[in-house]
Amino acid sequence: MRTRLSVCRRKRRFAGEDAAKAAALAATITLRPYRCDRCFGFHLTGRTRGKRSL
């Protein structure tokens, strides 16, 4: 699924996957990092259905 540009602009961008994983593990809710196809950085998502957890 392609990320909408308006969603990409609202989300925090991480330069690397390691930084995104660290932020996801530090969060109080379950989050998963993914590479954005718009900015080519990493964002976090709460959609974890059918995906591997950290």
Side-chain angles (χ1 to χ4, degrees):
M1 187 160 110
R2 188 169 171 113
T3 305
R4 290 191 316 243
L5 186 58
S6 61
V7 172
C8 176
R9 287 182 179 166
R10 278 195 318 244
K11 290 189 172 188
R12 182 176 173 190
R13 182 177 302 125
F14 297 93
E17 187 175 11
D18 292 335
K21 282 183 181 180
L25 291 172
T28 57
I29 60 173
T30 304
L31 295 173
R32 185 181 62 82
Y34 70 96
R35 180 178 288 277
C36 179
D37 58 356
R38 295 286 184 163
C39 68
F40 302 106
F42 285 86
H43 298 298
L44 299 177
T45 184
R47 293 184 179 194
T48 56
R49 187 175 183 180
K51 306 292 183 186
R52 292 184 195 166
S53 62
L54 294 177

